[in-house]
Amino acid sequence: MHIQEQQLINASSLSQFLLLEFSKVRELQILYFIGFLVFYLAAVAGNLLIISAVAFGHHLNTPMYFFLMNLAMQDVGQVSVIFPKAMADALMNCRHISYSGCVTQVLLFVFFLASDFFLLTAMAYDRYIAICNPLHYDMLMNKQSCIHLVTTIWIISFCYGVLHTGGTFASPFCSNVVNQFFCEIPQLLKLACSNLYLTEIGILFVSALIVLGCFIFIIVTYVHIFTAVLRIPSVQGRQKAFSTCLPHLIVFSTFILTGYFAYYKPTSNSTSDLDLAFTMIYTMVPPLMNPIIYSMRNKEIKYTVSKLLGVRYFSRCASSSLVMQR
């Protein structure tokens, strides 16, 4: 009993955590740093280009691009919360993160992750109104309603992050060794040495129900969208509708599947390559895929980005699409 109380005292006075060490070989640590750096620069540059294109491209002043700009902002925030720290650790051969730093990392990461998810759900609703109810689109998705929707998403996501952070750190920790390269909730829960961690398990269960509800909503929405698109007599019209829907569906599917396996698969006490792989996928792939998929399949984005970069870009398809833009 005395030993257990001592463990709780030590855990309550915990001042720092030790993150996962990728390798003890210095050359491999440098290789990880270079890999993270290349990914981080690519993800940030791609998303910043989308933000700049929507902000300065007056012909992109539509709800779809407004949501896309906010999604890019969330992606920049998401990768900036964890990867600069991971790069610094790999470069300086350091594993330490302060207790307050870990709390901040969990709060901001969950905030940006939830914002991404809710924005992708809102984008599905936007596509549904645009394709299935176009006569009421301007009334339902006007500028004021879009701003209110995004503001609500930011507020709910922040409260969601506070809730998860409080549930995660409510329990004292019996160890400070986190088997992940950043403060990830499933790995932190393994360190809990009291039943208070069950609070966070309950929150994760409720979160799973919310995710399932949004997933069903998006599936039903896209069933209606694809049904409506198949009724479009023009082949060009069907292709344009599919080109705005398929990238969103691909990004959302990757995001939700990898996140589900990372957070809800059975946990083990030891680090596995599978844990690291799923974490890498859901933290790295969506922020990198969003600008690639949306820019590569969207002529308006490519046209505006090329103008921002001073690159000559011209095609009859791009010109006609700009003329047909709302």
Side-chain angles (χ1 to χ4, degrees):
M1 185 69 179
H2 177 72
I3 296 176
Q4 184 177 4
E5 290 177 354
Q6 187 63 41
Q7 285 181 328
L8 294 176
I9 292 172
N10 291 339
S12 64
S13 60
L14 194 66
S15 61
Q16 63 181 9
F17 290 93
L18 291 177
L19 300 176
L20 178 69
E21 185 178 32
F22 284 103
S23 175
K24 296 184 181 298
V25 180
R26 184 59 181 162
E27 289 75 11
L28 289 179
Q29 290 176 342
I30 298 299
L31 189 61
Y32 277 116
F33 166 75
I34 295 173
F36 281 149
L37 179 62
V38 170
F39 156 75
Y40 181 73
L41 292 178
V44 170
N47 283 287
L48 286 180
L49 280 176
I50 288 184
I51 294 170
S52 301
V54 177
F56 296 105
H58 299 294
H59 61 284
L60 300 181
N61 188 21
T62 64
M64 182 180 75
Y65 294 111
F66 176 71
F67 289 132
L68 182 57
M69 180 181 68
N70 278 272
L71 184 67
M73 292 169 61
Q74 305 290 355
D75 287 337
V76 171
Q78 179 184 324
V79 296
S80 298
V81 167
I82 57 177
F83 285 100
K85 170 63 177 171
M87 287 187 291
D89 289 348
L91 184 63
M92 298 185 293
N93 192 22
C94 176
R95 300 172 55 194
H96 300 84
I97 183 171
S98 66
Y99 187 92
S100 59
C102 191
V103 172
T104 303
Q105 200 173 62
V106 170
L107 172 62
L108 293 179
F109 182 69
V110 174
F111 163 63
F112 287 122
L113 208 63
S115 299
D116 257 17
F117 179 78
F118 291 131
L119 273 171
L120 289 170
T121 305
M123 290 171 73
Y125 176 74
D126 170 69
R127 291 298 84 204
Y128 169 77
I129 298 297
I131 295 174
C132 298
N133 199 4
L135 296 178
H136 296 88
Y137 184 77
D138 291 334
M139 180 182 68
L140 295 175
M141 302 301 294
N142 55 62
K143 183 177 181 180
Q144 186 176 7
S145 62
C146 289
I147 292 175
H148 286 165
L149 180 58
V150 169
T151 303
T152 302
I153 288 175
W154 280 71
I155 294 173
I156 292 176
S157 298
F158 183 77
C159 294
Y160 185 76
V162 171
L163 186 65
H164 272 293
T165 305
T168 301
F169 291 92
S171 172
F173 299 105
C174 290
S175 172
N176 68 338
V177 180
V178 181
N179 289 324
Q180 194 53 269
F181 67 96
F182 71 102
C183 289
E184 189 184 38
I185 290 178
Q187 301 299 329
L188 288 169
L189 293 181
K190 295 178 185 179
L191 311 180
C193 52
S194 80
N195 289 332
L196 289 176
Y197 79 96
L198 295 176
T199 303
E200 176 60 14
I201 297 296
I203 297 173
L204 287 173
F205 178 74
V206 174
S207 300
L209 295 180
I210 295 174
V211 170
L212 180 62
C214 291
F215 180 73
I216 293 174
F217 170 80
I218 289 178
I219 293 299
V220 172
T221 297
Y222 272 102
V223 168
H224 287 288
I225 289 175
F226 290 144
T227 302
V229 168
L230 293 175
R231 295 196 189 114
I232 298 176
S234 168
V235 175
Q236 184 179 3
R238 288 198 298 269
Q239 289 177 344
K240 184 177 181 180
F242 278 124
S243 68
T244 62
C245 296
L246 289 178
H248 172 261
L249 198 56
I250 292 171
V251 170
F252 180 81
S253 300
T254 304
F255 179 81
I256 194 171
L257 289 175
T258 54
Y260 172 82
F261 281 110
Y263 275 76
Y264 295 103
K265 74 178 186 63
T267 59
S268 60
N269 292 326
S270 59
T271 308
S272 70
D273 293 336
L274 194 61
D275 289 333
L276 187 59
F278 279 127
T279 300
M280 288 287 192
I281 292 173
Y282 88 86
T283 56
M284 297 177 71
V285 173
L288 191 60
M289 281 181 61
N290 288 345
I292 293 176
I293 289 179
Y294 282 110
S295 62
M296 291 298 291
R297 296 185 61 89
N298 191 295
K299 297 181 178 64
E300 288 87 353
I301 290 288
K302 286 193 289 187
Y303 177 81
T304 307
V305 168
S306 65
K307 286 182 63 177
L308 289 174
L309 297 177
V311 178
R312 184 177 178 81
Y313 175 85
F314 179 82
S315 72
R316 285 184 298 176
C317 293
S319 300
S320 61
S321 64
L322 291 175
V323 172
M324 295 174 64
Q325 184 76 18
R326 289 178 180 267

